[in-house]
Amino acid sequence: MNVRIFYFVFSFLILSVSNNLYSQDPWKLSADNPGPNNYYGETVANGVIGIISSPEPLKVKEVVLAGVYDTYKRGRVSNFIPNYNLLNMKLDLNGESIHSYNINNFRQELNMRNGTFSGSFQYKDFASVTYTYYALRHLPHCVIMIVNVDAQKDVHINVENLLETPTSLNNQQHYFQNITNSHVNIPLLTSVANTPTGKSKIAVSNTFLFEEGKEEQPQILHRMNDTDMHAMSFGKNLKAGQKYSFALIGSLISSNHTIDPYNEAERMTIYAALEGKSRLLNRHLKEWEKLWESDILIEGDAQAQQDVRSMLYHLYSFTRKNTSLSPSPMGLSGLGYNGHVFWDTEIWMFPPMLLLHPEIAKSMIEYRFQRLDAARKKAALYGYDGAMYPWESAESGFEETPVNALTGAFEHHITGDVAIAAWQYYLVTGDKEWLKEKGWPMLKSTAEFWVSRVEKNDKGEYDIKNVVAADEWAENIDNNAYTNGTAIRNLQYASKCASVLGVTAPKEWNLIAGKIPISTMNNGVTREHDSYTDQNIKQADVNLLAYPLKIITDKERIKRDLKFYETKVPHSDTPAMTQAIFALLYSRLGDSEKAYHWFKDAYQPNLNPPFRIIAECKGGTNPYFATGAGGVLQAVMMGFGGLDIDEAGSIKQVTSVLPKHWKKLIITGVGRDKKTFVRTR
């Protein structure tokens, strides 16, 4: 059997089994009896802290803290640092430690509506246990785990919370104290340590929260294991028929977030404890209700509804308003791609967030504005004017790409990507003050970069030579279609920005933009770069000229480019965004069948059990790929839904078609006016 045919048949069978095993509840993803083999954790996050689930009960795999980078084991560039696992809990029942192998009826569930992850199990015939944890949406540095024990027989429980300093941190200090006054007793288990080079300090502080009054609460014991870990614990005897509930509250923060992380971690934990469980959960739920005012509803395809909502849930989880944080390709689901920020943000994740929650998109573009000076310095280092954004960015805004990857020195379209996002933010929000203070400096500086970057040729055109293409298998080539396209749009948008602000823009901006070449081959297909013939490509490049750049608008040419390049993308080892663009464009061309084919191909072969977590490539094992989610959401919103931003900033619907079995697509809470758009068969 042909290998490719075998792969498709195998994938179909696996997905068919998966669809039977897992509920298609539009809001919940669940797993019965999850085990350590073939388990890919689900993430609960609030835009600052990410908690990744574990196949072990009452455990989490790891905790990710946004915005904290240092060099550690992964080359000479900075990366996200393995951090304190502040929800590390151990439960003993009658002296036996609870593990996945000695419990029954183990079930885990992600509730996307309210951003919670829960587990439940039965221990012999003694007790049933449920636990639920939250990355509190309204308190960006706080988490809570709530545990309920239902005793069927007399049983003794012992609970321990362990703070272990990971090997990535050093110079750790451990503290334990009871904050006591007339009405409360708050035990604080606290650890403080430095990142590897000492550039940042990280602090974590936990407390138990009980429902009993101060005098009835169990006694808290503290123990030091060694210099790397300490723990607090309590014991409780339960009678048959008794139900017992307690919570673990914790705070995780660094000197990148506040000047005094040690004291602030303890203050936040005390604050959360005295707010109490009900107030904490009510505010958390209200924040998620606000997020879901902007939603995507699919009638006629329950599995697509669940999958698309999962993608939206993850983008919501990995971002938040009123910050200068920008998500990496894997968001807060782990340490993948070092936590660096690429074009994945501006071109793939930013557009859905801009339409659904522009206040969050503002934080994403703020990240780039705050690093504009670093981009200017990089341009000067390479002999250019203006601002040249790094291919991989972290805390400083300087280049963070490992030197063995040519992308760091040559993948220059990122500069245009940032400028395009800045202009799109203005169009959707109409925020002229922002445009003047932040948008214009970015657009002006990036336009100045392209003016110094282009080279005039004998035809009077302006070449952009020696780049790595958006198709990264094409290295050190000239006139890459997508790179040239971003330069064109950057220069044009900078000119429009100047006009809006009443500023005189250099005439050369539009002159150069009009003479940057986008060439075609003898067959009429747009050429990816000057030396391109018919090589395989890593990902969409030319096709991005039709969307999002809208440089190629002729439908026959768009179709011709699609038919050619869709055959040049190998079935494996390519990222998920390409097929999403194919789906989007085919929908706008009116080809429902091909649009749906590429929609499915964009993510279904990339899913991992037990929660249908998206990996970067087909058969990949590095979830969660937020970039791919952003691409598929654009296929749904801008493709099937036809949403489009016109030159005046209005959000409208262009002609497009739904998959044949979809009855209706409803997109709510769009733009600053929170409009609803509907597309039907």
Side-chain angles (χ1 to χ4, degrees):
M1 181 184 288
N2 179 280
V3 172
R4 185 161 180 162
I5 294 175
F6 173 80
Y7 185 90
F8 272 118
V9 172
F10 180 75
S11 297
F12 175 79
L13 290 173
I14 291 297
L15 286 169
S16 297
V17 172
S18 297
N19 289 344
N20 289 328
L21 284 176
Y22 307 127
S23 166
Q24 292 177 358
D25 185 302
W27 289 105
K28 295 177 181 178
L29 294 162
S30 59
D32 291 321
N33 298 312
N37 297 324
N38 212 23
Y39 181 96
Y40 296 84
E42 186 56 272
T43 305
V44 166
N46 60 15
V48 172
I49 290 179
I51 309 168
I52 299 89
S53 70
S54 165
E56 283 297 312
L58 291 158
K59 297 285 194 299
V60 301
K61 176 187 175 184
E62 65 181 328
V63 176
V64 177
L65 180 62
V68 183
Y69 299 88
D70 205 344
T71 52
Y72 178 71
K73 285 190 175 180
R74 307 183 79 180
R76 306 197 308 269
V77 297
S78 68
N79 48 275
F80 271 176
I81 300 299
N83 226 303
Y84 281 105
N85 187 337
L86 69 171
L87 289 179
N88 193 350
M89 190 181 293
K90 178 183 176 184
L91 173 66
D92 291 351
L93 295 176
N94 288 340
E96 182 177 5
S97 294
I98 295 300
H99 299 281
S100 58
Y101 58 76
N102 62 2
I103 58 176
N104 297 312
N105 303 325
F106 186 25
R107 180 179 175 84
Q108 292 183 330
E109 183 175 273
L110 172 73
N111 187 324
M112 296 181 283
R113 184 187 288 274
N114 53 31
T116 63
F117 189 89
S118 61
S120 61
F121 59 87
Q122 176 72 34
Y123 172 72
K124 299 180 180 178
D125 58 352
F126 281 93
S128 60
V129 178
T130 63
Y131 63 95
T132 305
Y133 58 77
Y134 309 69
L136 293 170
R137 189 72 198 189
H138 65 294
L139 294 176
H141 293 274
C142 292
V143 302
I144 183 172
M145 181 186 284
I146 300 169
V147 181
N148 295 288
V149 182
D150 185 353
Q152 282 100 42
K153 292 183 177 180
D154 291 356
V155 64
H156 177 78
I157 68 169
N158 192 80
V159 180
E160 181 179 72
N161 172 225
L162 179 71
L163 283 183
E164 180 177 3
T165 304
T167 56
S168 57
L169 304 179
N170 52 50
N171 297 325
Q172 64 273 7
Q173 296 175 298
H174 304 301
Y175 307 93
F176 180 78
Q177 62 173 319
N178 277 299
I179 305 296
T180 304
N181 60 27
S182 59
H183 65 290
V184 294
N185 180 54
I186 302 175
L188 287 176
L189 184 74
T190 303
S191 292
V192 183
N194 294 331
T195 58
T197 68
K199 64 180 289 190
S200 301
K201 180 174 287 188
I202 294 175
V204 58
S205 188
N206 284 358
T207 190
F208 284 121
L209 182 64
F210 300 104
E211 296 185 353
E212 302 100 307
K214 176 184 174 183
E215 302 303 324
E216 292 78 34
Q217 292 176 8
Q219 180 183 5
I220 303 298
L221 302 178
H222 176 252
R223 67 181 176 89
M224 292 290 301
N225 289 36
D226 54 35
T227 59
D228 291 330
M229 64 185 76
H230 66 147
M232 62 178 176
S233 63
F234 71 89
K236 183 83 174 180
N237 289 314
L238 302 181
K239 295 291 185 181
Q242 183 178 356
K243 295 182 179 181
Y244 186 69
S245 180
F246 67 93
L248 175 68
I249 294 175
S251 300
L252 180 66
I253 196 167
S254 78
S255 54
N256 298 59
H257 304 101
T258 184
I259 194 171
D260 183 7
Y262 171 26
N263 284 325
E264 199 57 50
E266 292 196 337
R267 288 191 195 102
M268 288 189 302
T269 300
I270 294 169
Y271 172 82
L274 292 181
E275 278 283 273
K277 183 171 67 175
S278 295
R279 285 175 58 81
L280 291 176
L281 299 190
N282 284 340
R283 289 198 60 190
H284 170 86
L285 296 178
K286 286 179 181 178
E287 290 297 316
W288 273 101
E289 285 176 11
K290 291 177 186 176
L291 288 171
W292 287 118
E293 289 173 3
S294 298
D295 195 8
I296 298 171
L297 308 171
I298 299 169
E299 293 184 12
D301 192 334
Q303 189 58 68
Q305 173 68 85
Q306 185 191 66
D307 292 339
V308 167
R309 184 163 281 137
S310 175
M311 297 172 202
L312 196 52
Y313 160 81
H314 283 91
L315 286 198
Y316 286 172
S317 296
F318 296 156
T319 57
R320 70 180 295 116
K321 65 180 181 179
N322 297 328
T323 71
S324 58
L325 297 173
S326 191
S328 74
M330 302 304 175
L332 295 173
S333 69
L335 308 180
Y337 281 110
N338 297 325
H340 290 175
V341 180
F342 300 70
W343 75 317
D344 301 56
T345 300
E346 282 75 25
I347 298 302
W348 302 105
M349 291 182 265
F350 181 83
M353 297 306 299
L354 177 61
L355 292 190
L356 298 176
H357 282 286
E359 75 281 4
I360 294 178
K362 185 177 184 180
S363 292
M364 298 160 79
I365 201 68
E366 176 68 17
Y367 170 88
R368 295 296 190 182
F369 173 73
Q370 292 190 7
R371 288 154 182 82
L372 178 58
D373 284 343
R376 289 179 175 131
K377 290 175 181 176
K378 181 182 177 182
L381 284 174
Y382 283 80
Y384 298 120
D385 297 334
M388 177 184 180
Y389 277 94
W391 177 241
E392 296 189 33
S393 181
E395 181 185 350
S396 69
F398 286 97
E399 188 61 67
E400 295 277 6
T401 304
V403 295
N404 62 313
L406 298 182
T407 52
F410 294 102
E411 196 155 358
H412 296 170
H413 66 79
I414 181 65
T415 296
D417 299 328
V418 172
I420 290 165
W423 182 245
Q424 293 295 307
Y425 176 76
Y426 164 70
L427 287 181
V428 170
T429 64
D431 190 341
K432 208 168 192 179
E433 232 7 77
W434 178 90
L435 187 68
K436 179 180 179 181
E437 294 179 7
K438 299 181 178 181
W440 170 242
M442 285 191 286
L443 285 158
K444 177 176 182 291
S445 295
T446 51
E448 289 169 346
F449 164 74
W450 291 115
V451 170
S452 67
R453 181 67 177 81
V454 299
E455 301 174 37
K456 194 171 185 179
N457 63 27
D458 294 340
K459 300 176 185 177
E461 297 174 329
Y462 291 90
D463 294 329
I464 301 176
K465 295 187 173 183
N466 199 20
V467 299
V468 170
D471 161 25
E472 291 173 339
W473 291 347
E475 298 178 324
N476 300 104
I477 47 83
D478 300 338
N479 288 321
N480 167 239
Y482 180 72
T483 302
N484 285 17
T486 60
I488 290 168
R489 284 307 192 209
N490 192 160
L491 290 162
Q492 291 172 338
Y493 293 161
S495 296
K496 290 181 179 180
C497 179
S499 178
V500 169
L501 296 176
V503 177
T504 301
K507 292 181 180 179
E508 62 182 344
W509 288 359
N510 277 326
L511 173 67
I512 292 171
K515 293 185 177 182
I516 293 176
I518 303 291
S519 63
T520 57
M521 298 183 285
N522 292 335
N523 58 5
V525 172
T526 305
R527 189 185 297 274
E528 188 186 89
H529 52 81
D530 284 354
S531 51
Y532 182 82
T533 53
D534 63 350
Q535 302 95 319
N536 279 348
I537 63 174
K538 177 183 178 182
Q539 59 195 39
D541 191 303
V542 163
N543 306 104
L544 299 174
L545 297 179
Y547 176 90
L549 298 186
K550 302 181 189 176
I551 288 174
I552 296 177
T553 57
D554 177 74
K555 288 188 176 182
E556 288 305 313
R557 186 174 176 186
I558 293 171
K559 188 182 299 184
R560 189 162 53 244
D561 288 346
L562 273 171
K563 286 184 175 180
F564 180 85
Y565 285 106
E566 71 181 21
T567 68
K568 301 303 177 184
V569 182
H571 187 67
S572 60
D573 301 323
T574 59
M577 308 92 74
T578 297
Q579 291 84 355
I581 288 297
F582 292 165
L584 187 157
L585 292 175
Y586 272 121
S587 177
R588 289 190 172 192
L589 289 171
D591 193 330
S592 175
E593 185 175 339
K594 280 202 167 185
Y596 183 62
H597 164 77
W598 289 114
F599 166 75
K600 291 189 298 179
D601 196 58
Y603 78 93
Q604 287 189 358
N606 304 50
L607 296 176
N608 282 286
F611 302 107
R612 300 177 69 84
I613 302 291
I614 301 175
E616 181 176 9
C617 302
K618 294 175 174 65
T621 57
N622 61 341
Y624 185 91
F625 190 46
T627 308
V632 176
L633 287 172
Q634 289 185 67
V636 174
M637 296 169 62
M638 290 73 154
F640 300 140
L643 298 189
D644 197 69
I645 306 166
D646 67 18
E647 293 186 1
S650 297
I651 301 171
K652 59 183 183 180
Q653 278 183 296
V654 298
T655 301
S656 64
V657 292
L658 294 179
K660 290 180 180 179
H661 63 291
W662 289 20
K663 298 176 182 177
K664 185 183 292 185
L665 174 65
I666 305 169
I667 307 171
T668 65
V670 177
R672 52 183 164 171
D673 297 326
K674 295 298 178 186
K675 294 181 179 178
T676 295
F677 290 87
V678 179
R679 175 129 290 164
T680 57
R681 285 293 305 165

